Amino acid sequence: MKFDFIPSTIYINQQAIYQNVKYFQHLHPQKKIWAVVKADAYGHGVHNVCSPALAAGANGFCVAYVDEALVLRKMGVDTLILVLGASLPESVSVAQKEGISLTAPSFDWLQKSLKYLDPNCLKRLKVHIALDTGMGRIGFTNLAELKRAINFINQHQEIFELEGLFTHFATADENDVYYQHQEAKFKELIAQINEPVKYLHCENSAAGLLEPEDNFTNTIRLGIGMYGVSPLNFSSDLATHLHPVMSLKSKISFIKKIKKGSKISYGATYTAPKDEWIATVSIGYADGWLRRLQGFKVLVDGQYCSNVGRITMDQLMIKVPRHYPIGTPVTFLGKDGTQEITATEIADYAQTIPYEIFTSFSKRLPRVAINLIN
Ligand SMILES: *Cc1c(COP(=O)(O)O)cnc(C)c1O
């Protein structure tokens, strides 16, 4: 369903995506960059994100499901596409036909997949073996099992192609001892198997900002950094070069002056301390503006204003300094004049991370590309 008469819009700045990818390429001139576009490009819309990422030099994409990879193929994306999760065995023959690379999370998965693959297909299934070096999500943890998997792939070369080996960090955002331990474990496993593969990858955005000079791997899986947000939980000069990509704007839909003592919204939790102007905006928790953002700020006419009272499903109220006409823009994320509200500020207030804020914005909100590339 397409919403034409909704006053809220998510804007996606393609120039910013382009600059962020270029920036990571500048930090890692020797490496390939794969743009992570799972969950409809972290809620930004794959249609808005793929072309600027490609234009900036990304030469592959990562997604979570085979279905997401198929969306990209239908868009005409002909680069490598890697599915990061453990795909259902039922999906492997589609991946084989479409040339979609899959993650092998276990020996068992390889055996099961073999039963579903099509021996008459001219293409082999491209496989990336996941090594669990401490994330505890998917992947091989011991050397014997890993060697068994590689032998199995080599014994079935007519149907499997070992294309990559990778791991994923649990604490790259903190750059702690555990991160270094995982990295060491990855290097150790790779050295022990001594199997040449085309792609060796471990860096996410955080790791990409930590070690610009490490050339042990040859590819970066770039997610949140491409969307212009620092994943690091400490300040870093390297992260200050990122450009925010998403902004969210709505409009005042109703305005009134209320008397001192009047209450606002469900639960009547807000009582006006004096006579004041209250504007209503047609956006709510069903749009992904989380209910726990009650009391958070927005921007009207370049000034911060507070949300008052509970956020409802499709509407919320804000306190404004004076009368504004219906249709006046309200910024929830992004810049208005010299002021800005960042995804990190929203996430901190809601006690979550920018990833969850972005992916919570509902399909009801149109995504519109601006500052177009190509
Ligand atoms: C989501 C994901 C990434 C991207 O992480 P960012 O922190 O967004 O850069 C990389 N690798 C794997 C395996 C992932 O699941």
Side-chain angles (χ1 to χ4, degrees), residues 23 35 42 88 94 99 105 110 166 196 253 263 302-304 324 356:
Y23 177 60
Y42 291 37
L88 293 176
V94 180
L110 284 167
F166 75 102
S253 61
K263 310 253 184 205
Q303 300 173 68
Y304 292 112
Y324 283 100
E356 194 182 22

Side-chain angles (χ1 to χ4, degrees), residues 24 34-38 42 62-64 82 84-85 103 135 137-138 166-169 201-207 220-227 231 355:
F24 275 84
W34 293 342
V36 182
V37 294
K38 61 197 184 199
Y42 291 37
C62 299
V63 294
L82 171 62
L84 298 167
T103 291
M135 174 68 183
R137 192 165 63 177
I138 55 168
F166 75 102
T167 196
H168 189 52
F169 295 119
H201 46 109
C202 65
E203 283 134 321
N204 52 7
S205 303
I220 298 177
R221 304 184 304 267
L222 177 62
I224 198 80
M226 176 174 67
Y227 304 101
Y355 302 72

